[in-house]
Amino acid sequence: MSDWEVVIGLEIHAQLATRSKIFSGASTAYGAAPNTQACAVDLGLPGVLPVLNAEAVRMAVKFGLAVEAQIAPRSVFARKNYFYPDLPKGYQISQYELPVVAHGHLNIDLEDGGTKRVGITRAHLEEDAGKSLHEDYHGMTGIDLNRAGVPLLEIVSEPDLRSAREAVAYAKKIHALVRYLEICDGNMQEGSFRCDVNVSLRPRGASGYGTRTETKNLNSFRFLERAVLYEVERQREVLESGGRVVQETRLYDSARNETRSMRGKEEAHDYRYFPDPDLLPLEIDAGFVESVRATLPELPDAKRLRFEDQYGLSPYDASVLTATRELADYYEAAAAACGGEGKLAANWVMGELAGALNKAGLDITASPVSAERLAGLLRRIADGTISGKIAKQVFEAMWEGGEEADRVIEARGLRQITDTAAIETIIDRVLADNPTQLEQYRAGKDKLFGFFVGQVMKACQGKANPAQVNELLKRKLAG
Amino acid sequence: MHEMTVAELSAALAAGRISSEELTRAFLERIERLDPGLNSFITVTAEGALEQARAADRRRARGEGGPLTGVPVAHKDIFCTLGVRTSCGSRMLDNFVAPYESAVTERLAGAGMVTLGKTNMDEFAMGSSSETSHYGPVRNPWNPDTVPGGSSGGSASALAARLAPAATGTDTGGSIRQPAALCGVCGLKPTYGRVSRYGMIAFASSLDQGGPMARSAEDLALLLQAMAGFDPRDSTSVEEPVPDYAGELDAGVEGLRIGLPREYFAEGLDAGVARAVEEAVAQFRRLGAEVREIGLPNTRLAVPAYYVIAPAECSSNLSRYDGVRFGHRCADPTDIDDLYKRSRGEGFGAEVKRRILVGTYALSAGYYDAYYRKAQQVRRLIRDDFRRAFGEVDLIVGPTSPSTAFRLGERLDDPVTMYLSDIYTIAVNLAGLPALSIPCGFVDGLPVGLHVIGDYFREGRLLAAAHRYQRETDWHRRAPAGFGG
């Protein structure tokens, strides 16, 4: 493997979260009955004309600004001509020679702790096609045009990625970014975010590129990673056995974990691109760009640095907590409500809360414990009312019962015992009950200290302040 | 009654001398009696027309409506009409009943006009003779052995035969003006973007423009007034205020500078046509216009550039006719390729196929630069020619067509000669300018058309010049034998 360098570029189709389609007023809502959200324009009826949705343009510009790209003052919609039953007009309206966004970049984190700048060649607006349905039609094909005309932003990277992991890191970063920008819901199951990946191999140190294949429609990060790994391995075998990689489009089959040839170069379509005469060139002035810039939220990288700085978090914690805008918002709300205990809040959000959410298969936005409630719990840890260990019990009760921390603590009598006399009484009883161990300890068997701590905590149901227990126990054991 | 212009009918309706219902019955009766020999209509909507006429009469009785309320109109079968077959002259759309209304027909219906039916045309507006229609050729009322021109030949023929007082047409390379010239009627192609293309079946989107056809310039003004205006459903329609065309009609031509392009009075122009046009120019001079020769040096490039751009756009525009969702579908397709091939093979006629092939070729990888891109460059040169000319003159005048109506079948197998019959009109579409054709004489009993071209959005000036001319002449009042009073 070390003889070959892997070269990867990604084309990501992000469905823009507009309410209506890119060139018609039909709804984009997912899951409606087939063909109930397809108007005359979407059906490509004779005489209909496209009218550009300004919101889609706004979203494309927002993305362009977020990746520090150039926003074209003039871009052109072009027709990509090909016949397909779910392509109503016999052409797709896309952008070809002049895209709306060009020359951007994004930094991804590498495993060695460094970062890598990945070039974004372009991002252009286009319409989606409909869906062909092959099941339940007895040898025929059903066509659902609800998706026809849904706005897409196609984001094309430079061939800057060098491994499956880098490809996944880049895709995840774009995914987080479009969700931060609220321009795409990122739902990969519903096809709102799809990746095509270009893979080629070249001898390490070579400057040219090898022949690439394009693998289409990867609808999860796991499939993206597997498809790249498979494709790298397949190409390596071809090259090492003296063969040549064929330029072609391939399809990833997740059931078999392999890629298969879909169409070769010789079958490649001649799309006969030309400017769409039904649409004027898209002109964007500086005022529009600035108005969009004013709506940009804090972006993931900036937020991460701020979290490190403001809450004293490690780079890792900050990056986990800023992975999505919703998680970051939750964390910040919790940290603020618990009096700025940033590190404590981070541990709980990433630990107990994340674990529970994961187990229940819930998203942060659906958490049964709100950020404010969690903060209520964290305050009781911080002020010593309960120990961290007891806090886990309280959290479980809050998760199940939906109650506030204070109420759980009171109702179950979980308040920490800090009264020295009370703790001493318990210690005395424990020592009295375990004379053999006491003798051994005093004879020099230091390791039994832990045993006594355990017995004391057990006797007080974990409620005694651990530090106090340690100190008092040491004194008593010394006799 | 059928001899009256729209303006005259409008006055009669307003004065209560006739009702729209009477008028509509009269035209329907003429269509039934006379159209079998002309074939100018594909669909006659008699029932709907009478209903609309009665509604118009009620509207007038309430003191409502405008100048067009109750006046009948015939629509080229390229405009989608809700609930009425819209065939575009093609077998492909023989079964197509539009589920929506085009902007042009909607606006005219809103003005109270009564739709008599849908007129015949070259298939998908591709032709200059109205012979390529799936519904058979249209005949010219001046001589049924000759063509009416095309592609709006059904509308022109119906107007000349007094089967309708007003009609709509579309003009991609001369399809309003050339049939108007060959049938001795008036037709206006507005500035590109002046009239909405929404609901008008596309041939070549960057060239197509709907416009009015009638028997006087005054009528064109009344019709354009109702048709013109910005439409948010058409991104290429222009947000430019619509002037009061009728109010500008009497502006005259005194002091106007008229340019005669030397390239238009050159080889290929029929001598009789040239004489008629020269006589009209002399008339303008007598009316106070200043006439001078101008140059449009890139004229000879217009036809070749057009026959790259128009087919290229059409090859893409007509891809939607695939037999999947509407229109003709072949019987028992074996698979999707078979469905495409046979549906399109059966649904389209020879001329449409020829243009799809030419356009597909012109856009193909490796040929795009040599053809499509080059043609777009030529298009800019042609536009620049006109820009320069309109720096010197107010109107450009010449023949609409190099000859009068030719015989049926004469040019069907000779597409290049057919294409050249649009030599004077095509450049106007490439530049997006407004232009009209009005009758200016006869050669061997067949009408000659005068072509008047104006600067962008100066339809008012064009109409005023034509109106001034028509106050001095009666060419536009002449009716073909058997169709007049």
Side-chain angles (χ1 to χ4, degrees):
Chain A
M1 199 53 235
S2 59
D3 297 330
W4 301 99
E5 184 177 35
V6 178
V7 176
I8 301 167
L10 281 177
E11 291 170 21
I12 292 173
H13 289 86
Q15 178 183 325
L16 295 177
T18 56
R19 273 189 308 219
S20 59
K21 294 187 177 177
I22 185 168
F23 298 118
S24 85
S27 166
T28 55
Y30 180 83
N35 299 310
T36 55
Q37 288 178 175
C39 68
V41 173
D42 308 321
L43 292 171
L45 289 186
V48 296
L49 296 168
V51 177
L52 180 59
N53 181 340
E55 196 51 35
V57 176
R58 188 171 280 278
M59 289 179 174
V61 170
K62 208 169 177 183
F63 176 80
L65 292 173
V67 296
E68 295 173 346
Q70 293 169 12
I71 309 299
R74 184 175 178 278
S75 63
V76 170
F77 285 99
R79 293 185 183 177
K80 180 180 182 179
N81 295 283
Y82 64 98
F83 284 99
Y84 206 74
D86 60 25
L87 186 71
K89 298 185 295 295
Y91 58 83
Q92 177 197 28
I93 305 177
S94 181
Q95 295 191 304
Y96 186 53
E97 285 182 340
L98 297 169
V100 62
V101 168
H103 309 304
H105 63 88
L106 193 70
N107 292 324
I108 59 167
D109 296 319
L110 302 179
E111 280 164 17
D112 64 8
T115 62
K116 174 173 195 164
R117 183 181 163 119
V118 180
I120 292 173
T121 316
R122 58 185 282 161
H124 65 252
L125 285 164
E126 63 183 26
E127 59 179 342
D128 208 344
K131 251 189 239 171
S132 293
L133 311 165
H134 300 288
E135 283 163 32
D136 306 328
Y137 287 90
H138 316 289
M140 297 201 291
T141 298
I143 308 284
D144 178 7
L145 295 176
N146 284 351
R147 208 179 63 186
V150 161
L152 300 177
L153 187 67
E154 180 173 334
I155 303 158
V156 182
S157 83
E158 291 287 313
D160 287 345
L161 302 159
R162 292 291 174 271
S163 69
R165 291 209 170 157
E166 285 187 20
V168 169
Y170 167 80
K172 281 188 170 168
K173 192 93 188 243
I174 292 281
H175 186 256
L177 183 60
V178 294
R179 295 188 65 232
Y180 258 79
L181 296 170
E182 295 180 318
I183 61 173
C184 172
D185 69 17
N187 191 325
M188 297 179 85
Q189 279 74 46
E190 292 175 5
S192 302
F193 190 92
R194 320 194 277 271
C195 303
D196 300 340
V197 63
N198 288 297
V199 177
S200 67
L201 264 54
R202 64 181 171 190
R204 195 165 291 282
S207 58
Y209 293 121
T211 305
R212 69 187 157 88
T213 60
E214 180 184 16
T215 303
K216 282 206 165 292
N217 265 338
L218 302 159
N219 61 2
S220 83
F221 297 123
R222 203 159 47 107
F223 292 164
L224 167 63
E225 181 167 21
R226 287 188 181 174
V228 171
L229 290 174
Y230 179 89
E231 197 49 26
V232 166
E233 199 52 30
R234 187 189 69 83
Q235 291 188 18
R236 189 180 62 82
E237 277 171 26
V238 169
L239 292 169
E240 288 181 353
S241 62
R244 301 175 73 167
V245 173
V246 180
Q247 186 178 335
E248 62 186 354
T249 303
R250 298 177 72 85
L251 201 69
Y252 177 69
D253 179 340
S254 59
R256 297 181 176 202
N257 188 31
E258 60 178 31
T259 68
R260 272 202 307 273
S261 179
M262 212 172 116
R263 110 182 135 234
K265 192 187 178 186
E266 60 280 4
E267 302 159 67
H269 296 298
D270 176 357
Y271 291 119
R272 293 175 282 117
Y273 282 99
F274 76 107
D276 191 331
D278 286 331
L279 291 161
L280 301 173
L282 172 59
E283 287 182 353
I284 296 175
D285 61 25
F288 182 82
V289 173
E290 290 318 307
S291 77
V292 175
R293 197 190 300 279
T295 67
L296 280 182
E298 183 181 31
L299 298 178
D301 284 351
K303 200 182 277 282
R304 190 173 76 177
L305 291 175
R306 182 171 64 78
F307 277 19
E308 288 178 28
D309 192 47
Q310 186 175 339
Y311 300 109
L313 301 183
S314 70
Y316 174 78
D317 288 359
S319 105
V320 170
L321 290 171
T322 54
T324 71
R325 194 165 164 176
E326 292 82 0
L327 182 61
D329 287 350
Y330 184 101
Y331 167 73
E332 280 212 277
C338 75
E341 292 280 346
K343 186 62 191 154
L344 180 66
N347 289 342
W348 273 82
V349 171
M350 293 165 62
E352 217 60 23
L353 177 69
L357 287 170
N358 198 25
K359 204 167 144 194
L362 291 174
D363 189 79
I364 186 73
T365 53
S367 171
V369 178
S370 71
E372 287 65 31
R373 289 272 165 93
L374 182 67
L377 175 64
L378 302 182
R379 277 199 300 274
R380 294 299 159 253
I381 299 170
D383 69 11
T385 305
I386 54 171
S387 68
K389 197 169 174 193
I390 292 292
K392 290 182 183 177
Q393 281 180 44
V394 178
F395 177 81
E396 254 176 57
M398 290 166 74
W399 180 275
E400 299 296 337
E403 283 181 299
E404 280 178 33
D406 285 346
R407 198 175 280 263
V408 174
I409 293 166
E410 288 312 319
R412 304 197 181 185
L414 295 173
R415 186 175 285 275
Q416 185 161 264
I417 301 165
T418 53
D419 176 356
T420 306
I423 298 174
E424 278 178 338
T425 310
I426 295 168
I427 291 175
D428 289 343
R429 202 169 62 228
V430 166
L431 296 188
D433 289 349
N434 297 281
T436 324
Q437 284 84 349
L438 181 62
E439 206 169 303
Q440 287 174 339
Y441 179 86
R442 287 188 172 150
K445 204 168 177 189
D446 291 352
K447 273 194 280 181
L448 280 170
F449 185 72
F451 164 78
F452 287 110
V453 172
Q455 291 301 308
V456 172
M457 294 308 275
K458 191 177 167 189
C460 69
Q461 292 145 342
K463 289 187 287 185
N465 179 302
Q468 270 177 304
V469 169
N470 274 0
E471 195 196 318
L472 294 172
L473 193 57
K474 244 175 217 163
R475 214 185 299 153
K476 293 259 178 194
L477 283 169
Chain B
M1 203 141 63
H2 56 267
E3 276 293 350
M4 290 159 81
T5 64
V6 171
E8 289 158 359
L9 291 172
S10 177
L13 285 165
R17 287 198 296 277
I18 45 167
S19 73
S20 176
E21 189 174 351
E22 285 174 83
L23 197 54
T24 303
R25 282 191 195 284
F27 280 110
L28 288 172
E29 182 277 321
R30 281 183 69 81
I31 293 168
E32 199 179 322
R33 182 158 50 87
L34 299 169
D35 199 49
L38 298 173
N39 199 27
S40 63
F41 279 85
I42 291 174
T43 304
V44 178
T45 52
E47 221 171 284
L50 289 169
E51 250 171 63
Q52 291 164 15
R54 286 189 284 267
D57 285 333
R58 287 194 295 274
R59 216 167 139 183
R60 285 229 181 235
R62 288 196 301 269
E64 295 166 10
L68 297 175
T69 304
V71 178
V73 63
H75 290 302
K76 185 176 183 178
D77 206 18
I78 199 169
F79 292 102
C80 284
T81 40
L82 180 68
V84 176
R85 174 178 60 185
T86 301
S87 73
C88 224
S90 181
R91 183 183 180 196
M92 183 59 89
L93 291 179
D94 184 53
N95 65 1
F96 180 66
V97 176
Y100 74 105
E101 189 79 17
S102 78
V104 161
T105 51
E106 188 178 77
R107 278 169 172 270
L108 293 178
M113 294 197 90
V114 172
T115 304
L116 295 171
K118 311 287 297 282
T119 60
N120 205 347
M121 56 184 285
D122 280 303
E123 185 180 7
F124 281 101
M126 296 172 198
S128 308
S129 66
S130 299
E131 292 171 289
T132 67
S133 170
H134 169 61
Y135 303 92
V138 182
R139 288 167 190 274
N140 190 326
W142 292 94
N143 178 350
D145 294 333
T146 65
V147 301
S151 64
S152 312
S155 287
S157 170
L159 284 168
R162 278 64 177 161
L163 305 185
T168 53
T170 61
D171 192 315
T172 305
S175 280
I176 285 176
R177 293 160 290 157
Q178 184 256 16
L182 269 46
C183 287
V185 299
C186 308
L188 170 69
K189 180 204 99 71
T191 308
Y192 184 77
R194 175 80 291 182
V195 171
S196 171
R197 293 189 295 117
Y198 182 78
M200 191 176 109
I201 298 179
F203 159 16
S205 312
S206 74
L207 301 159
D208 295 343
Q209 183 64 201
M213 299 176 77
R215 287 200 305 274
S216 75
E218 185 183 15
D219 289 1
L220 293 180
L222 287 169
L223 293 164
L224 181 63
Q225 196 76 51
M227 293 166 80
F230 175 67
D231 182 356
R233 298 169 298 180
D234 173 5
S235 306
T236 61
S237 102
V238 180
E239 234 173 326
E240 170 90 16
V242 180
D244 175 10
Y245 296 117
E248 289 180 18
L249 260 187
D250 291 321
V253 295
E254 212 175 323
L256 281 191
R257 299 163 299 170
I258 290 179
L260 304 180
R262 65 183 71 91
E263 295 81 3
Y264 287 13
F265 295 87
E267 199 189 342
L269 176 60
D270 177 272
V273 171
R275 266 194 305 281
V277 170
E278 279 157 13
E279 179 41 45
V281 170
Q283 180 70 58
F284 277 121
R285 203 182 268 121
R286 286 196 291 280
L287 291 170
E290 180 199 312
V291 178
R292 64 175 77 167
E293 193 179 87
I294 57 165
L296 296 171
N298 293 297
T299 296
R300 65 187 174 83
L301 300 177
V303 172
Y306 176 89
Y307 278 98
V308 171
I309 292 168
E313 292 183 10
C314 110
S315 72
S316 172
N317 281 336
L318 270 59
S319 295
R320 69 188 60 199
Y321 307 108
D322 56 6
V324 173
R325 297 167 314 287
F326 52 78
H328 177 73
R329 177 187 283 201
C330 66
D332 307 318
T334 54
D335 60 21
I336 188 66
D337 282 338
D338 183 50
L339 171 76
Y340 285 152
K341 286 176 185 166
R342 283 200 290 126
S343 299
R344 288 168 67 80
E346 295 161 6
F348 291 138
E351 183 60 28
V352 170
K353 286 178 190 164
R354 176 153 44 220
R355 298 204 195 189
I356 291 174
L357 286 172
V358 168
T360 302
Y361 181 82
L363 289 174
S364 297
Y367 298 98
Y368 182 87
D369 287 337
Y371 293 104
Y372 190 79
R373 205 185 294 277
K374 185 66 79 185
Q376 292 292 3
Q377 288 163 354
V378 168
R379 188 171 184 173
R380 277 191 287 280
L381 293 178
I382 286 165
R383 201 171 52 210
D384 291 346
D385 272 5
F386 280 110
R387 283 225 170 104
R388 252 191 312 276
F390 282 115
E392 293 172 40
V393 298
D394 303 304
L395 296 172
I396 294 171
V397 168
T400 306
S401 180
S403 70
T404 54
F406 44 92
R407 299 185 80 77
L408 245 74
E410 187 185 301
R411 298 184 186 172
L412 260 188
D413 298 325
D414 185 1
V416 173
T417 306
M418 185 81 97
Y419 296 170
L420 285 171
S421 65
D422 294 333
I423 189 161
Y424 307 125
T425 48
I426 272 175
V428 168
N429 296 81
L430 289 171
L433 292 164
L436 54 73
S437 179
I438 51 172
C440 70
F442 289 85
V443 175
D444 301 328
L446 290 172
V448 176
L450 182 74
H451 195 207
V452 190
I453 308 165
D455 205 351
Y456 296 102
F457 295 102
R458 301 312 295 265
E459 285 84 356
R461 178 178 282 167
L462 278 179
L463 291 164
H467 182 60
R468 185 72 193 85
Y469 177 79
Q470 290 184 338
R471 279 168 55 196
E472 303 300 320
T473 58
D474 70 348
W475 306 115
H476 63 294
R477 289 276 177 189
R478 310 248 181 123
F483 296 97

